[in-house]
Amino acid sequence: MRPDLTLPAGVQLAYGGGLPSLLIHTQHSFAQLYAHGAHVSSWMPHPHEMILWMSDQSVYALDKPLRGGVPLIFPWFGPRADHPEAPSHGFARVHSWELQEVETADDITLRFRLASNPETSALWPHRFEAQFSVTVGVALTMQLQVTNTDASAWSFEAALHTYFAVGDVRQVQVTGLENTRYLDKTDAMREKTQHGPISITSETDRVYLDTKATCTLHDPVLKRRIIVEKSGSDSTVVWNPWIEKAAKMPDFGDDEWSQMLCIETANVGDSAITLEAQQSHSMSARIAVEAAL
Ligand code: BG6
């Protein structure tokens, strides 16, 4: 936290689970965030229950990402090409971000900052400044802005790796990606086309390509629709590990796979962003919920 920052009403520091966090109460919703990874771990707009899913097996430690909520993926997605020693999905989710500013009105906005430093430079040799803003209110809005503070161009990947809580993943549908091409990571990255809404019937790990579409997650069990609107993002990742992969992950309960689905606002693979010196790029997602009786 910036040393001279005082937290306004509605924002409280909390300890528990091994890492400090911030509890945000607004007229319309509650949220919990960690400076570790600038990680949103909970968002509950009234009168809905948990919208983001967190694993009961999540580890809360400085060298591990949290399992659930919204891990912030930057500057590479998945393993780093030619660098097997580098952390999966980049370093942003295992770095401490500095809380710079809190703005309160009807909604509360928190701004976090991460800039290149000796630790990030050892993993990725580029100078950057990243800002992550989270607005908690009737919707949850997240914006990642990345600036190239180096003397020459570089490219990066990024994702808001959002885990949604669902009643039963086998019964949900995702609309908005019909007729979109995707790479199927469970089938040797084969390119396929989505026909109709997405249903989850087995391990699902897909990168939808060239899509700016708003996605809607229809949940007949929890009787709600979650709407993900985005900008500055050209890919969307849809992920559920299903039974076998869940059982292999130490920070993921064996039976938890049916309670979550990731819909990730992303720029990955061919949608990686190239920034010239001093250029910036912003990617944002706005999540809203509607009752569906
Ligand atoms: C998804 C990837 O975004 O994240 C999957 O497409 C990956 O391939 C999943 O398994 C979880 O990754 P991690 O590093 O958090 O276990």
Side-chain angles (χ1 to χ4, degrees):
M1 193 158 109
R2 216 186 63 207
D4 58 331
L5 189 70
T6 41
L7 296 177
V11 181
Q12 269 176 293
L13 259 180
Y15 292 93
L19 293 172
S21 68
L22 293 157
L23 307 180
I24 318 298
H25 292 271
T26 76
Q27 195 189 331
H28 302 290
S29 61
F30 164 79
Q32 183 170 20
L33 289 96
Y34 288 81
H36 176 62
H39 197 121
V40 184
S41 61
S42 178
W43 178 56
M44 293 166 68
H46 314 317
H48 302 277
E49 292 294 303
M50 264 177 358
I51 301 302
L52 302 178
W53 174 86
M54 275 300 294
S55 171
D56 287 343
Q57 304 302 315
S58 178
V59 177
Y60 295 81
L62 287 176
D63 60 341
K64 300 268 186 318
L66 272 56
R67 176 67 70 195
V70 189
L72 194 48
I73 309 304
F74 169 82
W76 60 84
F77 181 78
R80 184 172 173 216
D82 306 324
H83 288 269
E85 78 293 352
S88 162
H89 281 332
F91 48 71
R93 64 178 182 166
V94 284
H95 234 85
S96 190
W97 290 58
E98 186 175 59
L99 178 62
Q100 294 266 295
E101 217 183 338
V102 182
E103 263 176 43
T104 52
D106 260 9
D107 296 346
I108 295 184
T109 299
L110 297 99
R111 289 187 221 291
F112 294 88
R113 175 178 179 271
L114 177 69
S116 43
N117 58 53
E119 259 181 80
T120 66
S121 301
L123 292 164
W124 193 65
H126 303 296
R127 285 175 52 198
F128 69 91
E129 176 163 324
Q131 291 210 354
F132 186 55
S133 307
V134 180
T135 300
V136 179
V138 70
L140 176 72
T141 306
M142 298 173 285
Q143 183 183 53
L144 175 67
Q145 178 174 304
V146 177
T147 303
N148 179 348
T149 52
D150 222 329
S152 53
W154 41 254
S155 301
F156 70 98
E157 294 176 296
L160 307 174
H161 193 310
T162 314
Y163 287 76
F164 291 110
V166 297
D168 180 348
V169 79
R170 291 162 290 200
Q171 295 189 48
V172 304
Q173 284 199 323
V174 178
T175 54
L177 293 168
E178 297 82 353
N179 307 316
T180 303
R181 293 174 306 120
Y182 65 90
L183 301 178
D184 189 344
K185 292 176 78 173
T186 69
D187 188 12
M189 298 296 267
R190 281 205 173 76
E191 189 177 306
K192 302 180 180 175
T193 300
Q194 180 66 41
H195 299 293
I198 303 171
S199 296
I200 310 294
T201 55
S202 59
E203 182 186 348
T204 302
D205 195 353
R206 301 177 183 172
V207 180
Y208 285 85
L209 306 169
D210 296 326
T211 176
K212 300 182 191 308
T214 295
C215 288
T216 304
L217 171 57
H218 303 262
D219 189 332
V221 175
L222 297 181
K223 298 189 173 34
R224 67 190 189 194
R225 281 187 289 271
I226 297 176
I227 299 139
V228 186
E229 252 181 281
K230 62 175 188 164
S231 70
S233 154
D234 279 348
S235 33
T236 298
V237 180
V238 177
W239 180 62
N240 177 279
W242 209 249
I243 302 163
E244 279 177 25
K245 190 160 181 188
K248 286 187 192 143
M249 288 189 283
D251 60 346
F252 199 113
D254 289 0
D255 298 327
E256 289 183 326
W257 58 272
S258 65
Q259 300 157 24
M260 54 67 67
L261 182 65
C262 286
I263 300 176
E264 308 170 33
T265 294
N267 283 309
V268 301
D270 288 351
S271 298
I273 304 291
T274 299
L275 289 179
E276 299 298 329
Q278 307 312 315
Q279 233 186 357
S280 298
H281 177 268
S282 283
M283 170 173 86
S284 64
R286 181 183 186 276
I287 296 164
V289 189
E290 292 172 355
L293 300 174

